[in-house]
């Protein structure tokens, strides 16, 4: 999530999806689709941001924007990726792709 101040992004807050409310239980009508939509609860790493309920397109957009980073910010951090239907991969990121800058990787 981008954190804004004075019309500019001043920092970002990473978050984790910690819950999901299916459409059958959600009492929420999307202003974009005009119909009931499920919600994903996101808890942000920065306590001052707290938690937020997002629609699916917002979660997808956030993940896509997050993945567009250079990867440099991941060096030295533990990363766990889940591949739908194929399990998980986890390791400490030791380098990043300086040319493409799209995907952090481990050595």
């Amino acid at each position: 999530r981008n954190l804004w101040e004075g019309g500019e992004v001043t920092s970002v807050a990473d978050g984790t999806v910690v819950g999901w409310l299916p459409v059958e239980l959600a009492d929420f009508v999307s202003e974009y689709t005009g119909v009931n939509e499920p919600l994903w609860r996101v808890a942000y790493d920065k306590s001052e941001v707290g938690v937020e309920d997002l629609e699916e397109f917002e979660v997808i957009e956030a993940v896509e924007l997050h993945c567009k980073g250079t990867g440099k910010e991941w060096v030295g951090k533990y990363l766990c990726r889940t591949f739908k239907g194929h399990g998980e991969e986890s390791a400490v990121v030791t380098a990043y792709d300086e040319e493409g800058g799209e995907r952090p990787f481990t050595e």
Side-chain angles (χ1 to χ4, degrees):
R1 182 179 206 285
N2 290 333
L3 303 178
W4 296 78
E5 189 173 309
E8 294 183 15
V9 176
T10 56
S11 66
V12 296
D14 291 335
T16 302
V17 174
V18 295
W20 177 70
L21 188 62
V23 69
E24 297 82 22
L25 299 176
D27 184 20
F28 170 77
V29 176
S30 170
E31 66 181 78
Y32 301 102
T33 66
V35 298
N36 283 8
E37 296 286 351
L39 293 171
W40 281 256
R41 172 138 307 173
V42 175
Y44 292 100
D45 297 346
K46 293 185 177 183
S47 60
E48 64 270 17
V49 180
V51 298
E52 183 175 32
D53 293 328
L54 301 176
E55 293 181 60
E56 180 178 30
F57 80 90
E58 294 172 304
V59 174
I60 291 169
E61 181 180 83
V63 170
E64 288 173 349
L65 287 172
H66 183 75
C67 289
K68 286 183 180 179
T70 64
K72 189 174 186 176
E73 64 272 15
W74 288 99
V75 173
K77 294 184 180 178
Y78 186 79
L79 179 68
C80 180
R81 291 180 171 167
T82 301
F83 301 94
K84 192 173 184 177
H86 299 284
E88 293 182 345
E89 174 185 308
S90 58
V92 173
V93 177
T94 58
Y96 70 99
D97 179 0
E98 291 187 41
E99 292 179 20
E102 292 185 1
R103 301 200 191 289
F105 63 93
T106 58
E107 290 181 335

